[in-house]
């Protein structure tokens, strides 16, 4: 991005910080955020991107916002709804922008799908089914440490699928959740799970997520069903019922999964920069994410108690 300068990189591993800085031509590197914020270079910095284990999100984001910086923090926003609310409250107190990285909102195919839904091309959406079956990277061992991650695959992948469904449907209220989780290869956090969500407007959503399902390769999908059509992600396909027949409305140009994945991060970062500049309204806010974390906690509660949890009565 020609209008953006990366002023510094921070990593507790000094050699890693220096190596990344050298490779990416970043002028400065530090081993802690506090050291960066107390250095002269801090005056030049407008925003900080936090890509660290989840237990450090709250203290790092709060320190950055107290220092007058806007923040993009990776998902999940925090380990708990309480931590997320504290971060959102800090953003409000200091008038800072706090955005949570939900890059799947910025995939070209999901953005197209959202436009089809908003234009009522599928009619009234009543059911969404999704899943993300992904082999966990051996590098991310911290994700299996409860005190660092806050949870397992539900917080890693499940929150992404829930967020995407809520975003596509324009944020309906969650009424109930029912979940099951499994620790097949982990003693500390769940490595597979499934949950069912009832939303206002008589809409239901279900997802399956796993690090350990026995299958070849990763599998990411989202199916949306309306009374006038249906749409599918990965690859994108849109079908609409016209005169008793299903018509294919899928755009002709298709992109590869790798291209879509890369583009999602490019689009997300560009949007955040434009939000910092005041060009576009902030999305995926801390306040919104804190509310989503309350739903995630209900999902964990449902899995633990093996029963449906009522969130909101209508």
């Amino acid at each position: 991005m020609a209008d953006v300068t990366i002023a510094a990189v921070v990593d507790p591993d000094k050699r890693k910080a220096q190596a990344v800085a050298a490779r990416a031509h970043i002028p400065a590197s530090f081993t802690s955020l506090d050291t960066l914020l107390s250095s002269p270079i801090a005056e030049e910095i407008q925003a900080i991107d936090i890509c660290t284990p989840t237990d450090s999100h709250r203290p790092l984001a709060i320190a950055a916002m107290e220092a007058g910086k806007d923040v993009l923090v990776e998902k999940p926003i925090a380990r708990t709804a309480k931590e997320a609310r504290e971060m959102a409250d800090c953003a409000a107190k200091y008038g800072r922008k706090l955005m949570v990285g939900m890059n799947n909102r910025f995939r070209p195919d999901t953005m197209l799908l959202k436009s089809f839904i908003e234009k009522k091309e599928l009619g009234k959406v009543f059911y969404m089914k999704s899943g993300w079956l992904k082999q966990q990277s051996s590098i991310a061992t911290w994700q299996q440490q409860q005190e660092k991650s806050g949870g397992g695959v539900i917080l890693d992948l499940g929150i992404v699928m829930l967020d995407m469904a809520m975003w596509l449907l324009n944020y309906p209220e969650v009424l109930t959740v029912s979940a099951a989780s499994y620790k097949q290869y982990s003693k500390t956090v769940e490595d597979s799970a499934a949950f069912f969500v009832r939303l206002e407007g008589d809409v239901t959503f279900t997802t399956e997520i796993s690090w350990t399902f026995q299958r070849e390769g990763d599998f990411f999908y989202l199916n949306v069903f309306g009374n006038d059509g249906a749409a599918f992600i990965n690859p994108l396909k849109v079908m609409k019922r016209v005169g008793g027949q299903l018509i294919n409305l899928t755009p002709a140009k298709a992109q590869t999964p790798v291209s879509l994945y890369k583009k999602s991060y490019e689009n997300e970062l560009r949007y955040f920069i434009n939000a910092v500049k005041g060009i576009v309204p902030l999305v995926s806010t801390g306040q919104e994410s804190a509310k989503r974390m309350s739903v995630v906690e209900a999902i964990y509660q449902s899995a633990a108690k093996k029963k449906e949890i009522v969130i909101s009565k209508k």
Side-chain angles (χ1 to χ4, degrees):
M1 299 179 191
D3 55 340
V4 180
T5 299
I6 302 178
V9 61
V10 179
D11 193 285
D13 185 330
K14 184 177 182 179
R15 287 180 297 178
K16 184 189 289 185
Q18 290 176 338
V20 170
R23 186 169 69 243
H25 307 292
I26 299 169
S29 64
F30 299 86
T31 55
S32 75
L33 182 62
D34 287 342
T35 307
L36 166 61
L37 293 175
S38 62
S39 72
I41 202 172
E43 294 182 11
E44 305 172 23
I45 294 173
Q46 294 173 274
I48 290 176
D49 186 359
I50 299 173
C51 313
T52 58
T54 311
D55 62 319
S56 62
H57 287 184
R58 177 191 169 278
L60 291 175
I62 287 177
M65 290 185 289
E66 286 178 343
K69 314 304 179 187
D70 294 329
V71 170
L72 173 63
V73 60
E74 265 304 324
K75 62 82 185 168
I77 182 175
R79 295 173 297 181
T80 65
K82 180 177 181 293
E83 288 182 349
R85 286 192 295 269
E86 289 171 353
M87 292 164 69
D89 290 345
C90 181
K93 178 180 178 180
Y94 291 96
R96 305 318 311 171
K97 294 180 172 71
L98 173 62
M99 178 172 157
V100 180
M102 288 294 181
N103 64 292
N104 282 282
R105 294 188 187 192
F106 294 91
R107 289 170 56 114
D109 53 354
T110 58
M111 290 191 289
L112 263 175
L113 174 55
K114 184 171 174 65
S115 71
F116 278 108
I117 292 173
E118 289 180 341
K119 292 174 183 176
K120 307 294 184 184
E121 295 287 359
L122 310 181
K124 181 190 181 300
V125 172
F126 61 89
Y127 178 56
M128 298 178 70
K129 179 183 179 182
S130 70
W132 197 353
L133 314 180
K134 177 182 178 183
Q135 298 302 309
Q136 188 191 34
S137 169
S138 59
I139 299 172
T141 53
W142 65 267
Q143 287 185 319
Q144 296 185 37
Q145 301 173 34
Q146 179 80 35
E147 71 280 3
K148 285 186 173 291
S149 63
V153 74
I154 292 174
L155 264 181
D156 181 35
L157 306 182
I159 197 169
V160 174
M161 307 313 289
L162 175 64
D163 178 85
M164 192 158 54
M166 299 293 285
W167 167 68
L168 286 169
L169 295 171
N170 200 26
Y171 316 105
E173 290 295 323
V174 177
L175 306 181
T176 69
V177 298
S178 183
S181 65
Y182 310 92
K183 296 178 181 177
Q184 298 292 336
Y185 299 95
S186 169
K187 295 179 180 179
T188 54
V189 297
E190 77 288 350
D191 50 39
S192 297
F195 55 85
F196 180 85
V197 182
R198 293 185 185 276
L199 303 165
E200 66 177 348
D202 200 23
V203 182
T204 52
F205 164 72
T206 183
T207 194
E208 56 180 354
I209 61 268
S210 178
W211 291 330
T212 55
F213 279 175
Q214 303 304 306
R215 68 179 316 278
E216 291 184 356
D218 295 347
F219 184 41
F220 173 92
Y221 71 93
L222 174 69
N223 303 336
V224 183
F225 299 96
N227 56 10
D228 283 335
F232 310 90
I233 284 292
N234 215 22
L236 176 64
K237 187 174 184 180
V238 182
M239 308 295 291
K240 181 178 181 178
R241 186 170 297 279
V242 179
Q245 291 187 324
L246 277 177
I247 306 299
N248 192 338
L249 301 182
T250 309
K253 186 177 180 181
Q255 292 181 280
T256 66
V258 172
S259 173
L260 290 166
Y261 189 69
K262 181 181 178 182
K263 204 70 181 174
S264 72
Y265 281 105
E266 292 176 353
N267 291 340
E268 178 184 75
L269 286 166
R270 168 51 61 198
Y271 193 96
F272 174 67
I273 294 301
N274 285 338
V276 169
K277 291 180 174 183
I279 297 171
V280 295
L282 192 68
V283 298
S284 192
T285 65
Q287 186 176 17
E288 178 195 320
S289 296
K291 186 175 182 180
R292 194 84 72 252
M293 282 297 298
S294 296
V295 177
V296 170
E297 289 186 348
I299 290 169
Y300 275 109
Q301 185 182 4
S302 172
K305 294 186 175 182
K306 295 179 169 58
K307 69 174 188 179
E308 184 178 66
I309 301 298
V310 176
I311 296 179
S312 175
K313 293 182 179 179
K314 292 286 183 179

